[in-house]
Amino acid sequence: MPLAKSRRPAHRRVTTARPSRVKGDMRRLLDMLCALHGAIHRGARDAGSLVRCAVQAQPDLALPDKALPAMVRRDGDTPPTAAEWKRLGHALEEARGTQGGQGGYLDAWLSELRRATGLDDVATDILGLAMCYRLNGHFEQLWDDLCENRSRGPFLCEDISLLHMLLNRPETEIATALAPEGQLRMSGLMSVDEDGDITLLPRLMALMNRRARVVGDIRSLLLGQPRAATLPWEAFAHLGDQAEIAAKVLAAAVRDHAPGINILLYGPPGTGKTEFAATLAAHVGATLYPVGEADSSGDEPSRHERLADLRCSTRLLRNTSSVLLFDEAEDLFTTGLFEAPQSYSRVFFHRLLEQGGTPVIWTANDVEMLGPAIARRMALCIEMRQPGVAVRTRLWQDMAHEEQVPLTPEAAALLARAIPAPPAILRNALRSTRLADGDSTMVCAIATGITQAASAGRVVMPPPGGDGPYDASLVNADCDLAALAVRLSRPGAPRAVSLLLSGPPGTGKSAYARHLADMMELPVLQKRASDLLDKYVGQSEQKIAAAFAEARDTGSFLIFDEVDSLLGDRRSAERNWEVSQVNEMLTWMESHPLPFVCTTNLASRLDPASMRRFLLRARFDYLTPQQARHAFERFFELPAPDGLDRLRTLTPSDFSLVVRRQALLDTPATPQAMLDLLAAEIKGREGSQTIGFSM
């Protein structure tokens, strides 16, 4: 049989209340003491808590000594007499009347918070109570005593009946204000966990603890400094129509104050997601505020703190020309080493996306962590890719000017081609160069080192390019390539054109493809097989799809080098992924709306089904004797010797390579010496060698 609870209060530890942390701002405490006095009987345990609070706070409350119970009853364990209880109530009312017109520090904050977030009277009173608990030592002790009377821990908690007693507000209205969809929790200023414990926005309490004064708009204190754009709009021309669409969507959302507008920027680290967010906001005339980047102490924030910052910022900036930036969004869905898996609610996050009152730009390095359900709730999703050579050249120049690093247009173009680095790496390299008072050579060394480290130590190859300008006279093909280029570059010519260029290495296949792109006035997107093949199953197919998608989005002329590694004959495949890789290529080749070229040295190894996907096919061959003589005279500026006709497998790249070798070795530049170098270069290329036995 359980024991009956004693009516006498349990033994209490002797406590000395901390002095009020907000001197001269006791009106709110007096309001709650008066409300509590009128709601309880003098013999209740809560009456003892009230007496102890009044005794300990007597100097701050300006209560006369005669208003307090007799000395033997001031510990709160012995109930006051009826006369003492009545006298104490009158004294509290008189003190409240004396301080009724005096607004203090806490009142100034509450007034501004109410104006900025639109809280009603009940929500404002609850927020004031919570702030008073954190700032006023007397009230903190009173609340903890009242919780102990109810067998609860000494924490600020969602106790509706106790809040009703202290605030003299209807319980239903208090419950509504504290509900998950209520004003307080939706504002982000307050959160309630599964145990009912109440937590205030850490950033807010940090400001109040530092005695930050409310001067002007409170948003500047809670939001911090906005992020300014550092790159012009033209720096993101490689995003194509997607950037223009984002600008139109964001401009309309800011203008119309449309709810639930979220834009996702995703892609590998360093591709300029944050920079583009700042530039996009500036382009539409909005102010960009980063949220959730640090906690109230300037340290790494938790998931709870990041979301609280977001909800509060969304509320503070509603109906303003502002945009929020939430960087590294996938961190919200990663589980720490000591955290329970799936310790978060995606449903809650979905509602947050749908109900947000301020446009938010989200960035993510790993979009798979977010999941399709979150992607579906975005107003727009943009994949941030590494910019092409032309864009990188412009970025080098713009950033160099901003960082005050001398960089000529020629040096910028050289760096852009040599180092396929994203914007973040370019900026860091230029900043370090400025600090070291360096030049373009130092920039190149720094950017190369950062790029290699960011690629897990792998040496990042520059995009493929030619050895010089395209020379149609040095191309030996089985069709009229010049006429084809003219036909495809005419106004109104079809764009959905696919070409297969096959032939020995160095015969000019890739150079012609780039020349054709120039004739059609299209930017080049060139991919090697090594750029697309991946060691993980399914990743190669994703990279192939991404290459076609990038070409489509940016309006680029797509070139696949070494396509025999991507379109190998499926009849000789030994693994399933070899078949699925070819299937992926064939599917995209059939539906791609823009021109693309595939080059290969081994056309015989291509899957037969791929041949019908090419609208045109051209075979490149070795130079004819007449072309070889022309190449000799052009590259070496010497008359062609008679023995040149015996070298039947020369290519333009052989001449380019020999020129560099001769300069390195300082070989005498005579016709015979050049001929010998060419013969050594093509040695073993003549005919075919039989390996094994022949009958």
Side-chain angles (χ1 to χ4, degrees):
M1 177 178 179
L3 297 175
K5 291 185 178 179
S6 171
R7 291 182 60 87
R8 289 188 57 80
H11 176 72
R12 298 179 181 273
R13 65 184 185 278
V14 178
T15 59
T16 302
R18 295 190 298 272
S20 170
R21 297 178 214 149
V22 187
K23 295 290 186 182
D25 194 5
M26 304 299 290
R27 184 186 59 81
R28 191 164 298 274
L29 176 60
L30 281 168
D31 287 342
M32 291 184 285
L33 287 174
C34 289
L36 180 61
H37 185 277
I40 59 178
H41 186 269
R42 65 182 179 85
R45 296 177 65 182
D46 290 345
S49 300
L50 187 151
V51 169
R52 279 192 297 273
C53 179
V55 171
Q56 293 165 351
Q58 179 189 4
D60 294 325
L61 296 175
L63 295 176
D65 193 62
K66 64 180 181 180
L68 301 177
M71 194 64 67
V72 295
R73 288 183 289 276
R74 290 187 181 184
D75 61 358
D77 290 339
T78 303
T81 65
E84 290 172 335
W85 183 248
K86 184 177 181 179
R87 189 166 58 246
L88 177 60
H90 285 311
L92 291 173
E93 291 289 352
E94 289 178 5
R96 180 169 66 167
T98 302
Q99 300 189 22
Q102 300 177 6
Y105 177 71
L106 190 149
D107 291 310
W109 270 92
L110 280 176
S111 177
E112 286 299 315
L113 287 171
R114 177 172 183 168
R115 185 181 64 82
T117 60
L119 298 179
D120 60 22
D121 292 341
V122 176
T124 303
D125 283 347
I126 297 173
L127 180 61
L129 180 146
M131 294 169 71
C132 192
Y133 178 82
R134 298 300 181 191
L135 297 172
N136 192 301
H138 300 310
F139 180 66
E140 180 183 8
Q141 185 63 58
L142 172 64
W143 176 275
D144 290 348
D145 280 353
L146 295 173
C147 285
E148 190 173 339
N149 294 341
R150 289 156 177 77
S151 301
R152 294 196 59 156
F155 303 107
L156 186 62
C157 57
E158 188 183 23
D159 190 322
I160 304 298
S161 62
L162 182 53
L163 291 170
H164 161 69
M165 288 174 54
L166 292 170
L167 299 176
N168 197 22
R169 295 287 187 178
E171 292 189 7
T172 55
E173 295 182 10
I174 293 174
T176 300
L178 286 170
E181 66 280 1
Q183 288 187 340
L184 287 169
R185 294 168 73 171
M186 290 303 295
S187 71
L189 295 172
M190 180 182 292
S191 61
V192 183
D193 65 17
E194 60 272 13
D195 296 324
D197 293 336
I198 294 175
T199 305
L200 290 177
L201 180 69
R203 187 181 301 276
L204 171 63
M205 294 316 303
L207 288 169
M208 298 195 70
N209 285 330
R210 293 199 296 266
R211 304 296 190 270
R213 291 293 172 183
V214 181
V215 179
D217 193 344
I218 198 173
R219 296 181 180 91
S220 61
L221 288 173
L222 288 175
L223 298 173
Q225 294 299 314
R227 186 182 184 95
T230 57
L231 293 177
W233 182 251
E234 295 74 19
F236 298 95
H238 61 287
L239 297 178
D241 293 340
Q242 292 279 53
E244 296 298 335
I245 294 172
K248 293 178 180 178
V249 170
L250 190 60
V254 171
R255 181 188 65 243
D256 301 337
H257 306 300
I261 300 300
N262 300 275
I263 296 176
L264 174 63
L265 308 178
Y266 66 95
T271 47
K273 298 183 290 294
T274 304
E275 294 281 5
F276 176 63
T279 300
L280 174 60
H283 186 66
V284 302
T287 306
L288 184 71
Y289 288 95
V291 295
E293 294 189 340
D295 64 9
S296 57
S297 303
D299 298 324
E300 181 181 6
S302 65
R303 179 179 187 271
H304 164 76
E305 290 169 328
R306 298 196 74 192
L307 287 177
D309 259 6
L310 174 64
R311 297 174 74 178
C312 181
S313 301
T314 300
R315 189 84 175 191
L316 290 171
L317 294 175
R318 62 178 185 166
N319 299 329
T320 66
S321 298
S322 303
V323 179
L324 296 173
L325 170 64
F326 199 101
D327 245 335
E328 311 286 352
E330 66 269 34
D331 288 352
L332 297 177
F333 303 100
T334 56
T335 303
L337 182 61
F338 301 105
E339 296 177 4
Q342 300 295 321
S343 59
Y344 48 79
S345 170
R346 284 186 178 266
V347 175
F348 163 78
F349 192 73
H350 296 166
R351 299 297 172 264
L352 186 64
L353 291 175
E354 295 167 350
Q355 299 171 5
T358 303
V360 183
I361 299 176
W362 305 79
T363 73
N365 299 327
D366 187 358
V367 72
E368 292 184 0
M369 290 295 298
L370 302 183
I374 290 177
R376 286 196 299 268
R377 287 168 169 82
M378 294 290 167
L380 184 65
C381 298
I382 300 178
E383 182 181 5
M384 299 293 294
R385 306 183 183 92
Q386 180 175 291
V389 174
V391 176
R392 288 203 303 274
T393 301
R394 187 166 58 250
L395 285 175
W396 273 115
Q397 292 178 282
D398 292 342
M399 292 182 179
H401 177 73
E402 184 180 341
E403 294 291 340
Q404 300 179 350
V405 174
L407 195 66
T408 64
E410 294 76 16
L414 182 62
L415 287 168
R417 177 163 293 279
I419 307 172
I425 292 179
L426 310 187
R427 181 173 296 282
N428 290 339
L430 286 166
R431 184 175 294 118
S432 298
T433 302
R434 174 175 56 80
L435 292 173
D437 195 21
D439 54 12
S440 58
T441 303
M442 181 181 292
V443 173
C444 183
I446 294 173
T448 300
I450 299 175
T451 303
Q452 185 171 343
S455 303
R458 297 189 302 273
V459 177
V460 179
M461 297 178 65
D467 296 318
Y470 173 75
D471 188 349
S473 65
L474 296 181
V475 174
N476 180 21
D478 60 358
C479 63
D480 191 343
L481 297 177
L484 176 62
V486 172
R487 182 176 294 275
L488 292 178
S489 59
R490 290 185 307 186
R495 292 283 179 165
V497 178
S498 54
L499 292 86
L500 174 65
L501 307 181
S502 62
T507 50
K509 301 182 292 295
S510 298
Y512 175 73
R514 290 190 294 272
H515 166 69
L516 182 57
D518 290 339
M519 292 283 290
M520 299 177 72
E521 297 182 349
L522 293 174
V524 173
L525 177 63
Q526 194 159 353
K527 298 290 184 180
R528 307 180 188 88
S530 59
D531 297 327
L532 303 174
L533 296 178
D534 198 281
K535 61 183 178 180
Y536 296 109
V537 175
Q539 292 298 308
S540 297
E541 290 86 341
Q542 290 188 17
K543 290 183 177 181
I544 290 170
F548 278 102
E550 181 179 356
R552 183 188 64 242
D553 294 342
T554 58
S556 298
F557 190 107
L558 184 57
I559 301 175
F560 287 107
D561 275 332
E562 309 161 14
V563 77
D564 45 280
S565 299
L566 304 172
L567 285 174
D569 194 337
R570 287 171 292 182
R571 294 173 298 183
S572 59
E574 298 180 356
R575 302 171 183 84
N576 290 336
W577 60 263
E578 294 176 292
V579 176
S580 62
Q581 174 183 296
V582 175
N583 291 341
E584 188 74 19
M585 274 289 295
L586 295 176
T587 300
W588 281 98
M589 288 168 65
E590 257 185 335
S591 60
H592 191 58
L594 294 172
F596 71 92
V597 167
C598 294
T599 71
T600 179
N601 306 328
L602 304 167
S604 60
R605 295 186 181 179
L606 298 183
D607 191 274
S610 67
M611 290 302 176
R612 68 178 181 85
R613 265 75 171 187
F614 293 109
L615 184 62
L616 299 169
R617 297 190 290 271
R619 165 74 185 179
F620 286 62
D621 210 338
Y622 298 115
L623 296 175
T624 64
Q626 293 78 12
Q627 289 176 319
R629 288 180 173 276
H630 171 64
F632 196 97
E633 294 169 358
R634 176 194 157 184
F635 281 93
F636 306 142
E637 298 180 355
L638 294 170
D642 294 336
L644 184 63
D645 293 344
R646 295 196 300 271
L647 305 183
R648 297 290 186 174
T649 57
L650 289 171
T651 67
S653 64
D654 294 332
F655 288 89
S656 177
L657 183 62
V658 166
V659 167
R660 297 198 298 271
R661 183 174 298 159
Q662 183 270 336
L664 176 65
L665 301 178
D666 199 19
T667 305
T670 64
Q672 187 59 45
M674 296 296 100
L675 182 64
D676 293 342
L677 288 175
L678 285 172
E681 181 62 30
I682 67 171
K683 185 178 181 181
R685 196 182 294 172
E686 298 274 5
S688 59
Q689 296 180 353
T690 304
I691 300 177
F693 298 97
S694 59
M695 301 296 293

